[in-house]
């Protein structure tokens, strides 16, 4: 069974530029999560989807971050414009349903210069 | 709000030894889940073990076992016969019964010395 796929793995951009991350969850997993992981810290939830509906986006900085999950499968997370403080690893995870174990992708490491 | 505390930023043991990683948590929920995840230097987060709060029996997975003390809100991970490949960051995490996202601790960097 294929795991959670994320791309790109690494991204270097200049501040004020836009950037987008893509996530393909495990087939059949209804719930999808985006996490932010700063260096030396545990991941923090940004947004959770149940199928195509964002059911928890309270930690998403909505002035510059946006996310979508079209057709309840793939998801994209966008930052526009990026700031220096956005440099971090962005992790995507999926689970079969609410409360089930979450499986993580390899993450996208973002460096904003 | 849920919180997870890992009080050991780094631990180092010799290969084949047993090591215990500590975790405490705070929650107002009665039904919840606890996890230990491993994150090697490649950064892929991997599930080590999972515990449902309603189960009194401690979870075990081969060399990995937990000591779940619900009243004390403690959830420690024991790794027996440690191996070089166990070197990684270990995160304790909590998920509420309503299936919110995971709340992670800050992690423990475990180093297995040859």
């Amino acid at each position: 069974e294929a795991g959670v796929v994320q791309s790109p793995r690494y991204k270097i951009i200049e501040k004020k530029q836009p950037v987008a991350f893509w996530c393909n969850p495990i087939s059949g997993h209804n719930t999808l999560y985006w996490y932010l992981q700063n260096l030396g810290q545990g991941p923090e939830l940004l947004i959770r989807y149940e199928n195509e509906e964002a059911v928890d986006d309270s930690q998403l900085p909505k002035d510059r971050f946006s996310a979508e999950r079209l057709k309840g499968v793939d998801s994209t997370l966008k930052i526009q414009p990026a700031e220096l403080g956005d440099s971090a690893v962005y992790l995507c995870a999926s689970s079969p349903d609410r409360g089930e174990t979450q499986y993580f992708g390899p993450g996208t490491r973002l460096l904003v210069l | 709000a849920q919180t997870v505390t890992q009080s050991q930023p780094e631990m180092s043991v010799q290969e084949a030894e047993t090591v215990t990683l500590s975790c405490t948590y705070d929650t107002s929920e009665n039904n919840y889940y606890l996890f230990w995840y491993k994150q090697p230097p490649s950064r892929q987060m991997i599930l080590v073990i999972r515990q449902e709060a309603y189960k009194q029996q401690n979870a075990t997975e081969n060399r990995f076992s937990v000591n779940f003390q619900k009243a004390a809100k403690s959830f420690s991970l024991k790794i027996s016969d440690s191996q070089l490949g166990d070197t990684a960051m270990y995160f304790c995490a909590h998920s509420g019964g309503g299936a919110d996202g995971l709340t992670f601790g800050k992690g423990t960097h475990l180093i297995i010395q040859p």
Side-chain angles (χ1 to χ4, degrees):
Chain A
E1 179 179 271
V4 177
V5 178
Q6 290 187 249
S7 69
R9 293 293 309 276
Y10 304 92
K11 188 73 176 180
I12 301 174
I13 61 172
E14 294 187 347
K15 63 181 181 180
K16 300 185 181 180
Q17 294 299 306
V19 64
F21 314 125
W22 175 80
C23 173
N24 178 243
I26 294 173
S27 178
H29 281 197
N30 296 321
T31 308
L32 184 146
Y33 308 79
W34 282 102
Y35 289 87
L36 166 69
Q37 186 176 22
N38 287 306
L39 186 64
Q41 302 291 320
E44 299 175 4
L45 180 70
L46 288 173
I47 189 168
R48 172 169 68 95
Y49 281 93
E50 298 283 347
N51 296 302
E52 66 271 16
E53 182 182 1
V55 295
D56 183 1
D57 62 356
S58 58
Q59 300 304 311
L60 190 71
K62 298 182 182 61
D63 56 335
R64 297 184 300 108
F65 286 66
S66 64
E68 61 181 7
R69 190 183 184 197
L70 299 177
K71 300 182 181 179
V73 182
D74 295 358
S75 177
T76 56
L77 178 68
K78 299 178 182 178
I79 309 175
Q80 181 171 8
E83 297 178 352
L84 296 177
D86 296 331
S87 295
V89 176
Y90 293 81
L91 296 170
C92 179
S94 69
S95 65
D97 206 343
R98 302 173 62 195
E100 297 291 330
T101 296
Q102 295 180 30
Y103 297 89
F104 285 80
T108 296
R109 183 175 298 200
L110 173 67
L111 179 60
V112 182
L113 301 176
Chain B
Q2 300 147 356
T3 60
V4 176
T5 302
Q6 294 179 249
S7 59
Q8 305 151 312
E10 185 170 288
M11 297 187 69
S12 180
V13 298
Q14 296 295 122
E15 191 176 8
E17 290 184 345
T18 295
V19 60
T20 299
L21 309 182
S22 301
C23 173
T24 58
Y25 61 93
D26 192 16
T27 182
S28 58
E29 303 192 11
N30 193 45
N31 184 26
Y32 54 88
Y33 304 85
L34 296 165
F35 306 84
W36 279 98
Y37 280 89
K38 168 185 177 181
Q39 191 175 40
S42 67
R43 304 200 74 87
Q44 181 94 39
M45 193 81 75
I46 303 167
L47 177 69
V48 175
I49 202 164
R50 163 191 166 118
Q51 175 82 43
E52 291 88 348
Y54 64 87
K55 290 186 177 179
Q56 293 185 343
Q57 185 172 6
N58 289 324
T60 63
E61 286 289 340
N62 301 313
R63 298 184 294 109
F64 299 87
S65 61
V66 298
N67 183 5
F68 174 46
Q69 301 289 329
K70 190 173 182 178
K73 294 182 178 176
S74 172
F75 183 62
S76 60
L77 175 69
K78 185 172 81 171
I79 305 174
S80 303
D81 186 27
S82 58
Q83 301 174 359
L84 297 178
D86 295 332
T87 293
M89 285 292 293
Y90 285 81
F91 291 98
C92 179
H94 169 286
S95 176
D100 299 336
L102 294 166
T103 299
F104 286 86
K106 291 188 175 182
T108 296
H109 184 205
L110 176 64
I111 301 169
I112 309 299
Q113 304 276 7

